[in-house]
Amino acid sequence: MSEEKSKPVPRPGILDIAAYVPGKEHAPGVARVYKLSSNETPLGASPKAIEAFREAAGNLERYPDGQAVELRESIAAVHGLNPANIMCGNGSDELLGLLCHVYLGAGDEAIITEHGFLVYKIQIMGAGATPVVVKEKDATVDVDAILAAVTPRTKMVFIANPGNPTGTYVPVSEIRRLHASLPKNVVLVLDAAYAEYVRRNDYEAGIEIVSSNPNVVMTRTFSKVYGLAALRVGWMYAPADIIDAVNRVRGPFNMNSAAISAGAAAIRDQAFMQGAVAFNQMWIEKMTVALEAAGLKVTPSVTNFVLIHFPDVDGKRAPEADAFLTSRGYILRAVKGYGFPNALRMSIGPEEANRGVIEALGEFVGRKS
């Protein structure tokens, strides 16, 4: 009996997908561990979100609201949007997957950039389509490179803005130039997971361009500045036709009640969110200055993490730095899979962790190999 008939076999292409590997969490033998590998906020969630989560425990026997009305209306109120153009999901990852499921198939292509979020490639291939990877310029999305890669088979373009793990961003003028040059049947997906952190006058998360065009989608998350990574809360703002199409394949209860309630409370507590942004801004600047003073290159970041580049010298490269930091309880993210074999990504953590990393890396750079 042939192997194909002796057991279930996934459809062609599935086993070619490299599974996503999250940032590590553990440092064996270390008493105090600081996880700085997943871009989580060090300030946690709003107390109002935590209270809403606890209250949801009193109704566990009931199905959640399949339309997530409370959450959608809260998002709409804060951002000045029509709730009908908002869809919520089990993290923005789910929504990215649903978009691929609806708009991509065998023979289609979707464009991603060389340092873009790995989930894009996974979801594109999962839909049976072909990912087309284009080069970035100075760790920043290159609009001209994207446009040069467009073919009649192109159906989607994914842009993380700001980028992860780079921390760089594309000005809104470039996003508009990209959109204006794309075929009208191509869906432009703007992944703005870190939008709340950006403090640049020429940045726009995507709300305006979505509002005025039928082929642009913006995705956002509650896993970063809002501190709800454990609950998996994401949302997208999209034209009515796209919302309608995706709703036809979305699971009827794709979000749990606690996530809906906590998300609604979190986004309404804008004072708490702004405090988290201010803390992050202070430490992004301090970390960048301190690491550069130690002789390390840091990619300028508008997010809640920094990409740290190490010398191409024996004993001083990123893998050795990673092991050194881990032995001291500081867990950063190796980003070889993102095209940076000699760099580590560090999430801004609590003050003691940030200071500890600065001290540890100063020791690592200065010690003899």
Side-chain angles (χ1 to χ4, degrees):
M1 181 180 293
S2 68
E3 182 180 357
E4 288 75 12
K5 294 184 178 180
S6 65
K7 63 180 181 180
V9 177
R11 61 177 171 78
I14 294 298
L15 296 183
D16 294 329
I17 299 172
Y20 183 82
V21 180
K24 63 183 180 180
E25 299 186 40
H26 306 290
V30 180
R32 179 70 169 94
V33 175
Y34 293 96
K35 183 189 173 193
L36 307 172
S37 59
S38 297
N39 301 340
E40 298 152 339
T41 173
L43 301 188
S46 158
K48 295 178 181 179
I50 295 172
E51 181 182 358
F53 173 84
R54 289 175 174 154
E55 289 180 0
N59 298 288
L60 298 185
E61 76 284 1
R62 297 180 181 175
Y63 281 104
D65 173 11
Q67 300 299 316
V69 171
E70 179 189 13
L71 178 55
R72 288 168 50 233
E73 289 184 345
S74 296
I75 293 169
V78 168
H79 289 284
L81 306 176
N82 182 349
N85 293 103
I86 295 171
M87 179 182 292
C88 298
N90 186 37
S92 55
D93 291 357
E94 180 196 20
L95 300 171
L96 294 168
L98 288 171
L99 286 166
C100 289
H101 183 52
V102 170
Y103 289 99
L104 296 177
D108 293 333
E109 295 177 350
I111 296 174
I112 57 179
T113 62
E114 65 174 322
H115 305 307
F117 188 30
L118 294 177
V119 166
Y120 307 151
K121 185 176 182 180
I122 291 172
Q123 298 292 7
I124 292 164
M125 295 179 69
T130 300
V132 175
V133 183
V134 303
K135 289 289 186 180
E136 295 188 8
K137 183 184 294 183
D138 298 325
T140 304
V141 169
D142 184 343
V143 167
D144 290 319
I146 292 173
L147 292 174
V150 173
T151 74
R153 294 182 294 277
T154 304
K155 295 297 184 293
M156 299 188 84
V157 174
F158 288 88
I159 292 181
N161 196 29
N164 170 27
T166 62
T168 60
Y169 76 102
V170 183
V172 64
S173 59
E174 282 293 274
I175 296 295
R176 292 190 179 279
R177 181 169 74 87
L178 169 63
H179 174 259
S181 300
L182 288 175
K184 301 301 183 186
N185 66 321
V186 173
V187 180
L188 175 60
V189 181
L190 303 174
D191 180 358
Y194 299 91
E196 289 85 1
Y197 291 110
V198 186
R199 292 295 178 266
R200 297 290 190 277
N201 292 333
D202 59 350
Y203 174 80
E204 210 277 314
I207 288 175
E208 292 182 8
I209 193 170
V210 173
S211 297
S212 56
N213 293 284
N215 63 332
V216 187
V217 174
M218 177 192 70
T219 61
R220 302 283 281 268
T221 183
F222 281 73
S223 295
K224 308 306 177 187
V225 73
Y226 289 108
L228 299 184
L231 293 183
R232 311 305 300 124
V233 184
W235 61 283
M236 74 176 181
Y237 177 54
D241 287 346
I242 292 180
I243 292 289
D244 175 65
V246 176
N247 253 327
R248 293 168 188 263
V249 298
R250 178 181 62 85
F253 302 107
N254 64 322
M255 295 193 68
N256 66 71
S257 295
I260 293 170
S261 297
I267 199 166
R268 288 186 179 276
D269 192 353
Q270 287 292 296
F272 184 87
M273 187 273 284
Q274 292 297 340
V277 170
F279 177 90
N280 179 78
Q281 187 65 33
M282 174 183 68
W283 274 105
I284 278 286
E285 295 172 0
K286 286 186 176 182
M287 290 300 303
T288 300
V289 169
L291 294 173
E292 288 179 340
L296 297 169
K297 177 184 175 183
V298 178
T299 298
S301 174
V302 296
T303 61
N304 68 333
F305 58 84
V306 288
L307 185 64
I308 310 166
H309 303 268
F310 291 83
D312 188 15
V313 176
D314 288 346
K316 301 294 184 182
R317 297 185 180 91
E320 290 85 6
D322 193 20
F324 184 87
L325 290 167
T326 299
S327 71
R328 285 156 177 74
Y330 304 109
I331 299 178
L332 276 62
R333 180 69 184 266
V335 285
K336 180 179 179 180
Y338 283 96
F340 295 105
N342 200 25
L344 297 175
R345 188 192 69 194
M346 175 191 166
S347 312
I348 296 300
E351 180 174 351
E352 62 269 24
N354 301 332
R355 294 191 184 280
V357 170
I358 291 171
E359 182 179 351
L361 282 178
E363 180 184 346
F364 172 78
V365 171
R367 69 172 184 164
K368 293 183 179 179
S369 301

